[in-house]
Amino acid sequence: GFTRRRARTPRAMSTIVIDDKYALSDSDSVDADAPRCANCGVASDRLKKCAKCRRAHFCNAACQRAAWDAHARECVADANAKPAYKPPEPPRMPTKAEKEEAKESETRRIRETTLPRARAALRRDGVSTTVDLDELIEGLEDAIVFAIGEEDQGLTREVRLVLARAYLEAKRADECLHYLAPALEEARKEGGAASADAHTLAAKAHCAKGEKEQCRKELTAALDCASESTSDEAQCDTLLDAGIILHDLGDWERCAPLLSTAGEAAEKLGRLREAARAYNRAGSALLRSGRPDYAGRCWTRELRVLEADDSTDPGTLAQAFANCASAFLLTRGEDDDAFNLHKKSALTKARESGNDAEARVYLQLGNAYKLAGDAIDDSLARAKDCFEKAKSLSATDAGEIASRALEMLSL
């Protein structure tokens, strides 16, 4: 049989715990350098080190607990010791209250920051030059993913319309129509004033794609919806958008009354730039449809609005004066006082702005003389003089247009 022996430390132990697996048999030989248990004194190469100081040895956890009161006074963490592995804690799931707070915070951010910033950037007179459209679209796409996920129909519709407009400004008509599709479906079912924006945006997208018939259908729907609105501003917006789209399509007969009405509405609302824009396009449409007298009335209104706006630059005023002069030339002839007065004012304002502005005035006058034809003596010769002056004044777009006009006259 075997007789168990215990190797003990010279000092007395207050508590001794023996683990049988460390017992030494008669045939065992103990290495003099073998570590000893700090509790029971057993010597073995299989003892376990204290996880903190890595210096003291113990048979097992029971020995360590037994000797802890004495060992704790000298146990200092080993700087070189490998830290004990701690499994990562699972992520804490947010509470219902935290989820609601996060939802309200994100909704507020979209309504108060994302959408107002996008609307300000996508101004009615064109996208702001300081805005990165790709970044704007990315932010709106994140917003619509959130709105759809939270099943917030009102917010989803708002974001859809602004995102569709952003895609339209980015010359991506297909994406515009893709995001508009649910809003259009809802608009066709429910109608009402709130649906006018969706139809107007769809008309712009179809116009950009050259789909004229579909564009006209959407414009008709937009005008029907706007007629139900009690908001003067909403009606003005729809009239102006519809008129400009029809002008771009070359539908002079339909766009002129819409633009004239939009100009009057914008003027009453104090939106002078939009009023001037509407009157300008209305005059252009009327001139192209062979009614220079009515065109002159619209351009006179445009000039009045621009003069009332202190922010109007001389170059813009020069163009307005030249438009009026062209209309008076075609209706009253070149001896008319109104023609000569507006021609003089146009050239004066243009010279304040620079050579390019003056060249554009001469281009307008040249085109008016060309349109006059036999109604004015030597009209083509006078048109040629105007085009030559425009060419000599400008080496940019106005000069190139004048050069092409001279080539056409020579044919």
Side-chain angles (χ1 to χ4, degrees), residues 153-269:
Q153 295 183 358
L155 182 61
T156 300
R157 187 180 187 282
E158 284 187 68
V159 178
R160 275 190 187 283
L161 292 176
V162 179
L163 179 57
R165 190 175 174 194
Y167 273 122
L168 190 63
E169 292 292 346
K171 314 296 183 189
R172 296 161 66 178
D174 288 329
E175 285 94 331
C176 170
L177 290 170
H178 168 75
Y179 278 99
L180 266 183
L184 279 174
E185 185 178 353
E186 180 183 350
R188 293 186 184 108
K189 288 180 181 178
E190 300 183 3
S195 301
D197 285 345
H199 287 299
T200 302
L201 276 172
K204 288 181 178 180
H206 287 300
C207 180
K209 296 180 68 176
E211 299 169 349
K212 294 185 179 181
E213 289 306 314
Q214 192 64 34
C215 174
R216 289 188 176 95
K217 288 180 182 178
E218 295 294 350
L219 283 179
T220 301
L223 290 169
D224 288 343
C225 292
S227 66
E228 301 178 29
S229 175
T230 57
S231 168
D232 291 339
E233 290 200 354
Q235 289 187 348
C236 176
D237 289 341
T238 304
L239 286 170
L240 181 58
D241 284 334
I244 290 174
I245 293 169
L246 289 171
H247 185 279
D248 292 342
L249 289 176
D251 195 340
W252 316 125
E253 294 295 332
R254 289 187 65 192
C255 77
L258 291 176
L259 288 167
S260 180
T261 306
E264 293 173 2
E267 194 174 355
K268 288 179 182 178
L269 293 168

Side-chain angles (χ1 to χ4, degrees), residues 343-361:
K343 174 184 174 182
K344 181 180 178 181
S345 298
L347 291 171
T348 301
K349 288 294 182 182
R351 285 164 187 153
E352 291 179 23
S353 184
N355 288 345
D356 280 344
E358 188 176 355
R360 285 192 291 271
V361 169

Side-chain angles (χ1 to χ4, degrees), residues 80-323:
N80 297 321
K82 183 178 179 181
Y85 171 75
K86 288 186 177 180
E89 295 184 2
R92 185 180 69 85
M93 298 300 293
T95 63
K96 184 177 180 181
E98 289 173 337
K99 288 180 180 179
E100 286 298 320
E101 183 180 355
K103 175 183 174 181
E104 290 175 7
S105 176
E106 181 63 11
T107 302
R108 188 165 54 250
R109 185 188 70 81
I110 292 172
R111 291 192 185 279
E112 297 178 2
T113 304
T114 304
L115 289 176
R117 175 175 171 265
R119 290 189 180 111
L122 302 169
R123 302 175 307 190
R124 299 191 66 82
D125 56 348
V127 67
S128 173
T129 55
T130 60
V131 172
D132 184 340
L133 268 178
D134 290 336
E135 180 184 346
L136 190 69
I137 288 172
E138 184 178 353
L140 290 169
E141 285 178 339
D142 291 341
I144 200 169
V145 168
F146 169 80
I148 292 173
E150 296 297 334
E151 299 181 353
D152 189 332
Q153 295 183 358
L155 182 61
T156 300
R157 187 180 187 282
E158 284 187 68
V159 178
R160 275 190 187 283
L161 292 176
V162 179
L163 179 57
R165 190 175 174 194
Y167 273 122
L168 190 63
E169 292 292 346
K171 314 296 183 189
R172 296 161 66 178
D174 288 329
E175 285 94 331
C176 170
L177 290 170
H178 168 75
Y179 278 99
L180 266 183
L184 279 174
E185 185 178 353
E186 180 183 350
R188 293 186 184 108
K189 288 180 181 178
E190 300 183 3
S195 301
D197 285 345
H199 287 299
T200 302
L201 276 172
K204 288 181 178 180
H206 287 300
C207 180
K209 296 180 68 176
E211 299 169 349
K212 294 185 179 181
E213 289 306 314
Q214 192 64 34
C215 174
R216 289 188 176 95
K217 288 180 182 178
E218 295 294 350
L219 283 179
T220 301
L223 290 169
D224 288 343
C225 292
S227 66
E228 301 178 29
S229 175
T230 57
S231 168
D232 291 339
E233 290 200 354
Q235 289 187 348
C236 176
D237 289 341
T238 304
L239 286 170
L240 181 58
D241 284 334
I244 290 174
I245 293 169
L246 289 171
H247 185 279
D248 292 342
L249 289 176
D251 195 340
W252 316 125
E253 294 295 332
R254 289 187 65 192
C255 77
L258 291 176
L259 288 167
S260 180
T261 306
E264 293 173 2
E267 194 174 355
K268 288 179 182 178
L269 293 168
R271 294 159 57 173
L272 300 183
R273 288 191 178 185
E274 292 177 4
R277 188 182 181 197
Y279 287 138
N280 178 276
R281 296 289 187 98
S284 170
L286 289 165
L287 184 67
R288 290 169 184 265
S289 60
R291 290 180 284 177
D293 50 342
Y294 288 100
R297 295 178 189 180
C298 287
W299 283 334
T300 301
R301 290 180 177 181
E302 177 197 10
L303 180 58
R304 183 189 64 212
V305 169
L306 290 173
E307 288 182 316
D309 187 353
D310 295 334
S311 65
T312 307
D313 61 271
T316 302
L317 281 172
Q319 294 290 297
F321 276 114
N323 282 335

Side-chain angles (χ1 to χ4, degrees), residues 2-23:
F2 295 98
T3 303
R4 294 181 176 176
R5 291 186 306 190
R6 296 183 181 88
R8 301 182 181 276
T9 56
R11 63 184 179 86
M13 292 291 165
S14 57
T15 304
I16 296 178
V17 178
I18 299 298
D19 188 337
D20 286 346
K21 81 175 185 177
Y22 294 114

